Amino acid sequence: MSMTPHELVAEAQAQIKAVDLNSAAQHVAACGLIIDVREPGEFDAGRLPGAINLPRGVLEFKIGDNPALTNKDTSILLYCKTGGRAALAALNLQRMGYAHVQSMTGGYDAWIAAGQKTVTDTTQYN
């Protein structure tokens, strides 16, 4: 049986903990661990305060490289542009033994639409 990308996301969403923007904002305010699973260009253009970038395509391979992510009991908030990639990422992290993973409903687009604070890359290269 083959599945569409939408069906894969729906299946993942049924198995993970999704949180609304208010809960996500509380996680951000508490300086919790936040992973942006979008691509680096998306991340540089704007992100949630305190987020680290681990793109969806390499997440499972790179997550162990970050010292903050060695404790699988750490509470982790994941987000992407609209929620699909974050849901898939959350499901895989759960499968890898991460016990407190949550995906932000609506993703970065919903965060922006709600007028929440963002950070952009202001590094200047000469």
Side-chain angles (χ1 to χ4, degrees):
M1 172 179 104
S2 66
M3 296 177 74
T4 66
H6 179 74
E7 290 168 333
L8 287 170
V9 169
E11 179 185 66
Q13 288 172 331
Q15 299 177 58
I16 63 165
K17 179 178 181 183
V19 296
D20 63 17
L21 291 177
N22 288 335
S23 295
Q26 290 171 2
H27 189 92
V28 171
C31 297
L33 192 53
I34 306 159
I35 300 176
D36 182 326
V37 298
R38 299 175 302 156
E39 294 301 309
E42 294 174 285
F43 179 79
D44 291 344
R47 61 189 171 271
L48 274 64
I52 59 173
N53 186 219
L54 283 173
R56 170 74 193 100
V58 296
L59 176 70
E60 295 85 351
F61 300 102
K62 297 285 186 183
I63 194 161
D65 295 349
N66 189 314
L69 298 168
T70 56
N71 179 355
K72 292 188 176 185
D73 286 326
T74 299
S75 179
I76 301 171
L77 175 68
L78 297 167
Y79 74 94
C80 62
K81 180 173 172 46
T82 60
R85 287 177 282 179
L88 294 169
L91 181 59
N92 277 352
L93 289 185
Q94 283 178 189
R95 289 175 174 159
M96 292 176 70
Y98 287 86
H100 304 287
V101 179
Q102 48 195 1
S103 172
M104 183 173 75
T105 302
Y108 188 74
D109 285 357
W111 184 265
I112 291 289
Q116 294 284 356
K117 182 180 178 182
T118 62
V119 176
T120 54
D121 192 350
T122 56
T123 304
Q124 298 295 318
Y125 297 99
N126 294 334

